[in-house]
Amino acid sequence: MFSIINIIATILIAGGAFFMVTGVVGLLRFPDFYTRLHATGKCDTLGEVLVIVGCMVYQGWSFITVKLFFLMFFIFLANPVGTHAIMKAAYLTGLKPWKKGEERR
Amino acid sequence: MCSAVNNVKPHIRIIPKVIYNTSSTYFITYRHIHKIKEKIEMEDIFLALGLLIAVTISLSLYRAVLGPGVFNQVAAVNVIGTKVIVLLVAVGYIFDRPMFVDISLLYAILNFIATLVMSKYLERGEICSA
Amino acid sequence: MTRSKEHNVGLMLAVFAVLYIFWLLMSACINPLNGHFSPVHIIAGIICAGVVTLLSHDLLITKEGEMTLAKTFRLIAYVPWELWQIFLANFDVAYRVLHPKMPIDPRIIEFDTSLRSDFALTTLANSITLTPGTITIDIDPGKGRFLVHAIAKKPADALLVDKTMINKVAHVYMEEA
């Protein structure tokens, strides 16, 4: 018997897993570096945060929930900053963005 | 404990489940999966999540190894690192060990710093300008 | 950031309290057998938080801004809208990834804002990265100039013409849009 808490946690974890798989498919499928970062920077952030929120719901009130909350907060702050850092490095070293109609690389 | 293991009929043993005993030593028991499973527990969902994350990590290894250019490789390594954070949390729930959450916090910080250092190095050709 | 030599006792106590509460939260379930808050962890926490406070007490809380409390409340009120935008962004990216023809048309756009403070620029950059179809590439803090990579024409127009997000961030940090 699944309780309601477990059902909510399972739905959140399933949503997070869907977004993580979508992010990896975008990483493999998009044509160039900048568009690949579009897929990973957004889908990974929300997917991992959803999984961690599911774990928090499953855990209930304890100190582990506090740690999971800090982990979620850190991912929300750090993931866009990391994406931005790689993108700025690539742009400043002169990697040309892909335009529509060009060959994929 | 040994007798408990030996008495069991030859079912499929899957996961060694570590129990934290009160006498502060580790005992290892085995969870058995019967041929017809009566109910799905929450641990099975975390197990499925861990397997799915392992599949996504091995898919993004393609970009990390063969990706054209070093920036694709750095981005793929960053993706693998952030997925490992969630994998550590799931492993902590599978083995009933709350310490894995601490390890995943540390891993998150290390992965972030590694990404920043790699991108700064590729941007300027040096890590720390004197 | 200039590091002043004068030791502000109240500031140091505040930093010590924050660090020590963080330590207690983090160390509470390290050893569930000896009960929460064993004396070893409490004393080690006092030593570690004290050393970190002595070394870097002027990095955590800076006295630059004014009206910090009002800005914090406005930031908390800004967060739900931002979360909704993140959900929209993920469905947008999932649609573009899973569509068989991949409807993308990437371009690079550039625009000026009137934001100057570090926190406002960081918030706007992170918001742009997390909202539909756009990622910040570079910021010029002196002019408030943003360089943004957009994945198609529609998100670029949403950022350039609509300007909802820039106005909201300017409202949070009380700078004129």
Side-chain angles (χ1 to χ4, degrees):
Chain A
M1 276 293 287
F2 261 30
S3 63
I4 292 183
I5 298 260
N6 285 8
I7 290 174
I8 295 173
T10 308
I11 289 172
L12 284 172
I13 288 173
F18 168 73
F19 279 125
M20 280 200 277
V21 172
T22 312
V24 169
V25 171
L27 181 71
L28 293 179
R29 196 163 172 238
F30 269 164
D32 86 319
F33 169 73
Y34 296 96
T35 44
R36 276 169 206 150
L37 276 190
H38 273 277
T40 64
K42 295 186 181 80
C43 285
D44 270 359
T45 311
L46 189 70
E48 283 148 19
V49 165
L50 276 182
V51 170
I52 291 174
V53 168
C55 292
M56 283 166 72
V57 170
Y58 171 65
Q59 183 71 38
W61 287 105
S62 75
F63 282 105
I64 301 173
T65 314
V66 179
K67 289 183 189 181
L68 286 173
F69 178 78
F70 280 123
L71 190 59
M72 186 190 79
F73 188 72
F74 187 79
I75 286 179
F76 250 126
L77 277 185
N79 230 341
V81 175
T83 307
H84 162 70
I86 306 174
M87 209 162 196
K88 185 183 173 188
Y91 189 76
L92 289 185
T93 45
L95 189 64
K96 288 275 181 290
W98 178 85
K99 290 279 193 296
K100 193 171 188 176
E102 289 182 12
E103 198 176 342
R104 56 176 286 134
R105 48 198 145 113
Chain B
M1 190 199 112
C2 291
S3 62
V5 171
N6 289 333
N7 284 338
V8 166
K9 288 161 193 158
H11 288 133
I12 310 165
R13 290 182 199 149
I14 283 202
I15 305 163
K17 184 176 180 184
V18 181
I19 293 177
Y20 207 48
N21 204 328
T22 48
S23 60
S24 74
T25 51
Y26 296 101
F27 282 96
I28 295 178
T29 60
Y30 287 91
R31 195 155 66 93
H32 311 288
I33 289 188
H34 297 264
K35 282 177 184 166
I36 301 170
K37 207 157 167 40
E38 292 176 356
K39 60 179 182 178
I40 300 176
E41 294 168 10
M42 201 62 193
E43 285 179 3
D44 301 324
I45 286 168
F46 283 112
L47 186 62
L49 174 71
L51 288 175
L52 193 68
I53 294 173
V55 170
T56 55
I57 285 176
S58 49
L59 279 177
S60 48
L61 266 181
Y62 171 79
R63 275 285 169 241
V65 176
L66 293 176
V70 67
F71 288 108
N72 279 313
Q73 290 174 334
V74 173
V77 167
N78 184 23
V79 167
I80 290 175
T82 45
K83 286 194 188 325
V84 165
I85 298 167
V86 183
L87 181 62
L88 279 173
V89 174
V91 166
Y93 277 109
I94 291 170
F95 289 104
D96 273 344
R97 297 289 297 277
M99 273 172 221
F100 276 89
V101 179
D102 301 82
I103 301 171
S104 65
L105 254 174
L106 269 182
Y107 198 86
I109 297 170
L110 279 181
N111 180 46
F112 177 57
I113 293 174
T115 306
L116 281 192
V117 167
M118 274 310 288
S119 55
K120 283 300 163 195
Y121 174 70
L122 292 172
E123 181 184 329
R124 298 190 292 209
E126 59 186 356
I127 292 173
C128 176
S129 59
Chain C
M1 191 173 295
T2 58
R3 304 193 58 171
S4 61
K5 285 297 175 188
E6 55 189 72
H7 294 288
N8 193 339
V9 179
L11 187 68
M12 285 174 75
L13 276 180
V15 173
F16 180 80
V18 169
L19 290 177
Y20 192 56
I21 289 172
F22 194 70
W23 173 281
L24 286 184
L25 286 177
M26 285 293 121
S27 72
C29 59
I30 277 182
N31 196 347
L33 306 177
N34 301 345
H36 296 202
F37 305 121
S38 63
V40 175
H41 295 130
I42 291 178
I43 295 169
I46 290 176
I47 295 172
C48 292
V51 169
V52 174
T53 307
L54 281 180
L55 288 178
S56 61
H57 62 93
D58 50 353
L59 293 182
L60 182 61
I61 302 171
T62 54
K63 290 189 285 185
E64 291 175 12
E66 299 165 347
M67 316 255 302
T68 314
L69 201 62
K71 284 178 188 174
T72 309
F73 281 124
R74 288 189 178 190
L75 188 63
I76 290 172
Y78 170 73
V79 165
W81 183 81
E82 180 65 29
L83 285 177
W84 173 241
Q85 290 294 308
I86 292 171
F87 266 96
L88 289 184
N90 277 274
F91 282 110
D92 183 66
V93 171
Y95 168 74
R96 287 183 205 281
V97 167
L98 299 176
H99 196 280
K101 288 180 183 173
M102 273 200 299
I104 58 175
D105 182 13
R107 61 193 63 207
I108 285 183
I109 57 177
E110 199 173 9
F111 61 93
D112 286 343
T113 62
S114 64
L115 304 174
R116 291 295 181 272
S117 70
D118 287 347
F119 275 106
L121 289 173
T122 311
T123 310
L124 184 57
N126 270 6
S127 305
I128 286 173
T129 301
L130 285 175
T131 44
T134 46
I135 286 186
T136 315
I137 293 178
D138 203 353
I139 307 173
D140 188 352
K143 299 173 188 168
R145 172 168 294 175
F146 279 73
L147 196 65
V148 171
H149 184 269
I151 202 169
K153 195 170 185 308
K154 200 176 146 211
D157 285 346
L159 197 60
L160 281 179
V161 181
D162 207 12
K163 291 195 173 182
T164 315
M165 181 186 296
I166 301 172
N167 290 333
K168 278 181 182 286
V169 174
H171 173 73
V172 166
Y173 287 97
M174 299 180 188
E175 301 187 21
E176 293 167 14

